[in-house]
Amino acid sequence: MSEQTSAKTPVDFWFDPLCPWAWMTSRWVLEVEKVRDIEVRWHIMSLAVLNEPRLDELNDHYREMMTTTAWDGVRVVTAAWQKHGADILGPLYTALGNRIHNGGLGPTREAIAGALDEVGLPADLIDYADRKDFEFDAELRASHKEGIDKVGQDVGTPVIAVPGADGEQIAFFGPVVTPAPKGEDAAKLWDGTLLVASVQGFYELKRTRTQGPDFSNL
């Protein structure tokens, strides 16, 4: 007699390692993995790609970031994915985020090099950060487009997609939260997010952010 096991619910999560709010949400969804029967599958999206059509609308500082350092991390992560498989995305994102955000290094070469070393990837992957003729650009843009196509254009990172009751994926931006909830609080936010996202015709809940990302409990 074969043993029957229930499959975990797949949760697709699109991230850009540069974004502190995506980092907060990612730590929350990993906490949800401990208290709900889900399995996170990581994908890359890019703030640089997202902002390409509206560079003229950005302030000088953000426009400079979107045309320079915003490309570094996603290019290295994409190259790691293409050369070493999708299973490396989660560990590499964690190693990057711990340095960029929790450690306060920002999106620096030091942070990228340290993350590559931590997860046992070749150090020369960092060379992809500088490559304007990036050989995996099509794969990066396809991954980004897959996430955006599910949720629409008026969002940022992260994008999360889960199976709906009819089998079709329900996708949403966020939730934007700080600090990242733990334990049962993480579970309650997850249950509530799925509840509102599953209501046909529901699009948005929002209020003004009164504090920045709080990494103190990560």
Side-chain angles (χ1 to χ4, degrees), residues 9-37:
T9 300
V11 175
D12 291 293
F13 190 108
W14 279 263
F15 69 92
D16 183 325
L18 178 68
C19 180
W21 295 105
W23 173 246
M24 299 295 298
T25 306
S26 74
R27 299 311 94 180
W28 160 70
V29 83
L30 286 178
E31 186 72 12
V32 175
E33 267 196 329
K34 302 174 185 176
V35 292
R36 291 292 183 266
D37 200 22

Side-chain angles (χ1 to χ4, degrees), residues 66-87:
M66 288 300 103
T67 56
T68 55
T69 55
W71 287 103
D72 297 352
V74 293
R75 281 178 176 149
V76 172
V77 173
T78 302
W81 161 42
Q82 290 299 302
K83 288 176 169 285
H84 299 277
D87 288 346

Side-chain angles (χ1 to χ4, degrees), residues 138-159:
E139 289 81 0
L140 167 58
R141 290 175 184 274
S143 179
H144 174 89
K145 184 176 185 298
E146 183 185 12
I148 290 295
D149 282 352
K150 292 179 185 297
V151 75
Q153 293 294 324
D154 299 325
V155 300
T157 174
V159 169

Side-chain angles (χ1 to χ4, degrees), residues 104-166:
L105 291 178
T108 61
R109 299 306 167 86
E110 178 186 357
I112 296 172
L116 291 172
D117 181 66
E118 179 181 326
V119 299
L121 288 172
D124 61 4
L125 281 172
I126 201 171
D127 295 341
Y128 283 98
D130 285 325
R131 295 189 184 173
K132 303 299 187 290
D133 57 339
F134 183 47
E135 65 186 270
F136 303 118
D137 187 67
E139 289 81 0
L140 167 58
R141 290 175 184 274
S143 179
H144 174 89
K145 184 176 185 298
E146 183 185 12
I148 290 295
D149 282 352
K150 292 179 185 297
V151 75
Q153 293 294 324
D154 299 325
V155 300
T157 174
V159 169
I160 296 177
V162 297
D166 60 358

Side-chain angles (χ1 to χ4, degrees), residues 32-51:
V32 175
E33 267 196 329
K34 302 174 185 176
V35 292
R36 291 292 183 266
D37 200 22
I38 69 168
E39 182 177 14
V40 182
R41 304 187 298 200
W42 302 100
H43 308 271
I44 301 164
M45 65 180 296
S46 168
L47 289 171
V49 172
L50 185 71
N51 284 287

